Amino acid sequence: MSSPSSSSSLSCPKKMITLKSSDGETFEIEEIAALQSKTLENMIDENCADTPIPLPNIEGKVLAKVVEFCTKHAEVGVDAESLRAWDDEFVNVEHNTVFDYILAANFLEIPTLLDLACRVVADMIKGKTPDEIRKIFNIKPSPEEEEEVRRENQWAFE
Amino acid sequence: MVPDDYDPSLFQALPDDVLALVSQSLSPRDLCNLGLCCRSLYALAQSEKVWLTQCYALGVIHHKDLIEWRKGVSSYRALCRFLFCVQPLIGIWVHQNPELGNVVYVMPGFVSVVGCRIIPQELGPLGIEDGPILWAPVFEIFGDFDGSASFFLHGRERGVDYVYPGSLKHIDRNCNVLLLEVEPRLQKNGGKLAHGKSFVQHSDSSKICRTDSALSRSQTVLEQNDTKVLFSRLSFSDRRKLLEVVTSRVRQKVPDSANGPLFARLSDNDENFRKDMLLLNERRSLIFHMQSCKFGEEHSDLCLEIPSDLTQLGLGEIRKSLDRSSSAIDSFSSDNAHGQCAKKKTLGGYFRYGIKQILGKSISFNGGHAVLRNSSSSSESKRAQLQEFLRSGDMMGLTLNASTVKLSSYRAWPNMHDSRFALYKLPLRLPKPDQEYAGLWGGTFGWPPGKPTEDKPGKALFLLMLSYEESEGQCLLIATKILEGTHYVLHPNGSAMFIANIDQPSPDPFPWSSDANSLPVTTDHAFVGEGIANGYGFRYPGAKPGSLYVLHNGLIAFIWRESRAVLTLQRLNLQDLLKKGERVPALPAIANFTYLTKSYSNVFAGFSNPSNGLLSPRQKQT
């Protein structure tokens, strides 16, 4: 039995959606929270959300955090200031994890999470020299073409 | 916490448009730094999408134009390089002379930016919006295939249009003055110098001489050692002479096929747009082609050679020896050959006129004798400076120097009391919540505003820049006149036509209840103010009381209380107006860039009947 997907009257019980990660874990998320994701929203509209939705390219531990993010952002009555602080805490994680968030947000089409995570990566790069960037991301340099590339790009440094 | 072995494929796993999202808040510099980290990141940082985002973020042109311009360059990165370089030039540039107004608006062309001078003019029969507004070309800066920029000055001599190719010195991000200069350069020899290879290999060796912003900093430092004399340090007459000599040598006649439009017309029609793009593309290729095949291999088309026996020569002799050596150059081009003698006479005549003007000015300013007494001792040091200047290179070319100088201003108008061949930036004012009326406005005297009629022809067009200033706790709205369309100027360029006190409402009612179309007129606000009036001579105007009215239809009007004169203004979008405008001939090259002689009449309207001032060509045609 499926309830109308767009109504959200107080008397109805909160509709839950089930998501299944690549490693077989299942997570429940409120429908309202799931609407943050355009991908999930489309599935709900097409009535495909009654059975667990498989997400083969998102790991369990990442999916857990994504659910947490969407749930928080669907809450009412949270002021912008404290939400921003919560976001900052949320992305205060290892670099690998931030990239996982980006990929998950891109697949699920969650613009708020995508913007947030991309900004974090951009901030890691902004204003840094190549050496510093390499240090942050532990990149091994390829020295050969560096001089030539540097010269080609001189215009950006003036 | 940094992981022990980072996998660079983390970045590679990101799809292009996500990478574009990440790079959105990065500057071109950050992006280049990212690309320097390792080979795979370098490949990622070449992404067209990423650089398209960067181009878009610069905000110079719209998306539709970005796609068209991209066709003329090698990549979005090259396009970004060009846009990044010329972005500080976009806007309004002014000069004090002539007093009627010298307004040059720099706007995007086609893979170029164009400096357009708005001519002092009267409104045409179609009013401001459909004018068309008259303008003349001052300069163009083209982007090459690899995104490097080159400068072309426009000029017209004895009925013939010319372009004067030159180089572009590094543009300061916060430049506030554009200087026309002559620059000595060392002739580049093939691959000896560590010259940055352009993105696409050019087979054309003549491009090597051009100074472009891709030269590394260390190289520029090498060239600008401590003893190098800057062009700006030379005396006025030396600077003028050098500019004259160089422009007369590097000028190239514009063939009719390349005399097309400089930018696309304003049109919703797709067909027109496509036609314009074709024409613009053709013109651009023609100009580059013209430039690269004019001269043989020995001399770059952009520069002329300074003879090696120069050290002992004064400028008079330099000019003579330049004439001697350039006779070989002239044999390549037929236009110069027969005009040689006549040209020398004209140059000399121009020079004499110039010196008389300047001497006359400095004598009256400094009290006469003092100047003459010092001239003999300073003339030797000036001569030495000139020789030092010429010694720093073996080639000489025209260059545009966009730099930042200390500029004082009085009430939004920069103080320009010098003899530089320059254009000064008029800072862009954008309307903000607490500065509603800031920005560029234009209009005429008289009510009702609108199109001139049979019995009331030729309403003079005024351009005003409105800005805000805090004075003694009061918020003042200042209307600075930057262009006046009368035949003979009433008040100095840069005067405040009116000043309104935003904190003080005016009790006087707006005298008219309906406009030209008999539509009712409602006043939203009225402020107390004062309007310009005759004062102590021309240079020091006075003020008389008046009121500023903000009308419901978006117009504003200032009314002088006593004389009941009314100046009605509307917001102007110069770029759109120019795209619908009509091009008129330019002045001779140097005067076309900066008109240094003091003048109170319309020097830019060369085609007008001198007794009537500027007659609209539209009226002549009907």
Side-chain angles (χ1 to χ4, degrees), chain B residues 5-6 20 41 51 80 116 128 146-147 170 180 257 288 294 532 557 590 592 598 607:
Chain B
D5 55 271
Y6 164 80
L41 279 174
W51 286 103
C80 186
C116 305
I128 296 183
D146 65 348
H170 157 68
L180 186 67
S257 41
F288 276 126
K294 186 175 187 210
I532 204 169
I590 303 171
N592 196 32
K598 200 173 283 309
F607 54 88

Side-chain angles (χ1 to χ4, degrees), chain B residues 350-370:
Chain B
Y350 200 119
F351 159 65
R352 276 197 294 279
Y353 175 75
I355 275 295
K356 206 161 55 160
Q357 279 289 317
I358 297 310
L359 271 182
K361 251 200 332 205
S362 57
I363 283 175
S364 57
F365 192 69
N366 283 335
H369 300 296

Side-chain angles (χ1 to χ4, degrees), chain B residues 8 46 48 69 107 127 166 170 188 195 204 210 279 307 331 395 405 463 467 494 544 548 554 570 590 608:
Chain B
Q46 303 292 73
E48 283 278 272
W69 288 29
M107 61 183 258
H170 157 68
K188 311 276 198 279
H195 188 270
D204 200 346
R210 191 186 307 135
L279 283 170
S331 65
M395 308 280 275
V405 298
L463 286 189
S467 57
K544 287 227 169 98
L548 178 68
Q570 67 183 83
I590 303 171
S608 68

Side-chain angles (χ1 to χ4, degrees), chain B residues 228-244:
Chain B
K228 177 170 177 176
V229 177
L230 293 174
F231 181 80
S232 49
R233 288 259 174 262
L234 299 176
S235 72
F236 173 80
S237 56
D238 287 344
R239 283 185 281 126
R240 177 163 228 158
K241 282 181 248 181
L242 279 172
L243 279 172
E244 284 168 4

Side-chain angles (χ1 to χ4, degrees), chain B residues 409-424:
Chain B
S409 57
Y410 175 66
R411 281 201 178 143
W413 184 251
N415 291 325
M416 305 169 229
H417 299 309
D418 57 24
S419 58
R420 286 187 278 218
F421 293 92
L423 288 168
Y424 297 82

Side-chain angles (χ1 to χ4, degrees), chain B residues 93-139:
Chain B
W93 300 79
V94 292
H95 197 269
Q96 188 68 42
N97 290 313
E99 297 286 357
L100 270 179
N102 190 342
V103 174
V104 178
Y105 183 64
V106 179
M107 61 183 258
F110 180 71
V111 202
S112 67
V113 288
V114 187
C116 305
R117 173 169 286 117
I118 322 280
I119 308 290
Q121 59 196 267
E122 293 168 344
L123 277 195
L126 300 171
I128 296 183
E129 273 311 306
D130 296 310
I133 200 169
L134 303 174
W135 63 275
V138 177
F139 63 81

Side-chain angles (χ1 to χ4, degrees), chain B residues 45-353:
Chain B
Q46 303 292 73
S47 149
E48 283 278 272
K49 219 173 239 173
V50 163
W51 286 103
L52 173 56
T53 311
Q54 291 288 316
C55 288
Y56 195 65
L58 284 173
V60 176
I61 50 177
H62 301 304
H63 194 84
K64 188 182 182 188
D65 292 323
L66 275 174
I67 299 175
E68 286 302 322
W69 288 29
R70 163 70 182 84
K71 298 178 189 166
V73 294
S74 60
S75 66
Y76 275 114
R77 201 182 78 173
L79 186 55
C80 186
R81 172 182 175 180
F82 176 68
L83 292 173
F84 184 73
C85 169
V86 297
Q87 184 198 33
L89 300 178
I90 305 279
I92 298 181
W93 300 79
V94 292
H95 197 269
Q96 188 68 42
N97 290 313
E99 297 286 357
L100 270 179
N102 190 342
V103 174
V104 178
Y105 183 64
V106 179
M107 61 183 258
F110 180 71
V111 202
S112 67
V113 288
V114 187
C116 305
R117 173 169 286 117
I118 322 280
I119 308 290
Q121 59 196 267
E122 293 168 344
L123 277 195
L126 300 171
I128 296 183
E129 273 311 306
D130 296 310
I133 200 169
L134 303 174
W135 63 275
V138 177
F139 63 81
E140 274 178 282
I141 296 174
F142 278 102
D144 205 345
F145 196 63
D146 65 348
S148 59
S150 44
F151 164 70
F152 289 82
L153 179 64
H154 277 266
R156 187 180 171 92
E157 284 169 55
R158 273 184 280 142
V160 181
D161 286 322
Y162 293 98
V163 286
Y164 304 77
S167 65
L168 199 57
K169 248 189 177 157
H170 157 68
I171 299 181
D172 263 359
R173 301 307 297 167
N174 303 312
C175 57
N176 58 2
V177 69
L178 293 178
L179 296 159
L180 186 67
E181 300 185 337
V182 164
E183 195 190 32
R185 261 166 264 151
L186 291 167
Q187 190 161 26
K188 311 276 198 279
N189 300 312
K192 279 198 186 157
L193 289 166
H195 188 270
K197 289 199 198 102
S198 51
F199 197 77
V200 169
Q201 285 296 341
H202 285 293
S203 52
D204 200 346
S205 60
S206 70
K207 289 203 173 28
I208 291 178
C209 192
R210 191 186 307 135
T211 304
D212 63 12
S213 48
L215 275 178
S216 67
R217 270 238 172 255
S218 56
Q219 214 178 325
T220 337
V221 166
L222 259 172
E223 286 178 6
Q224 289 175 359
N225 50 45
D226 291 331
T227 56
K228 177 170 177 176
V229 177
L230 293 174
F231 181 80
S232 49
R233 288 259 174 262
L234 299 176
S235 72
F236 173 80
S237 56
D238 287 344
R239 283 185 281 126
R240 177 163 228 158
K241 282 181 248 181
L242 279 172
L243 279 172
E244 284 168 4
V245 167
V246 173
T247 49
S248 65
R249 294 292 177 271
V250 303
R251 74 176 189 190
Q252 294 179 31
K253 179 164 181 285
V254 180
D256 288 334
S257 41
N259 219 354
L262 277 62
F263 36 75
R265 289 170 291 171
L266 192 70
S267 162
D268 291 327
N269 192 329
D270 264 347
E271 166 109 21
N272 283 342
F273 183 73
R274 258 181 279 121
K275 267 196 228 156
D276 280 349
M277 286 298 136
L278 260 167
L279 283 170
L280 289 166
N281 237 318
E282 270 174 37
R283 180 171 178 272
R284 178 168 170 259
S285 331
L286 257 164
I287 299 248
F288 276 126
H289 184 73
M290 245 168 63
Q291 199 189 318
S292 61
C293 67
K294 186 175 187 210
F295 288 110
E297 285 170 5
E298 288 172 29
H299 309 277
S300 162
D301 42 305
L302 297 176
C303 312
L304 61 152
E305 203 170 340
I306 305 174
S308 52
D309 56 345
L310 195 47
T311 49
Q312 310 308 318
L313 301 176
L315 190 57
E317 292 117 313
I318 291 171
R319 209 145 40 95
K320 270 192 239 142
S321 66
L322 278 168
D323 289 348
R324 259 185 274 123
S325 66
S326 67
S327 56
I329 304 175
D330 288 341
S331 65
F332 279 115
S333 92
S334 50
D335 6 342
N336 284 338
H338 54 267
Q340 190 72 350
C341 302
K343 198 174 19 159
K344 268 195 241 174
K345 282 203 197 113
T346 335
L347 271 181
Y350 200 119
F351 159 65
R352 276 197 294 279
Y353 175 75

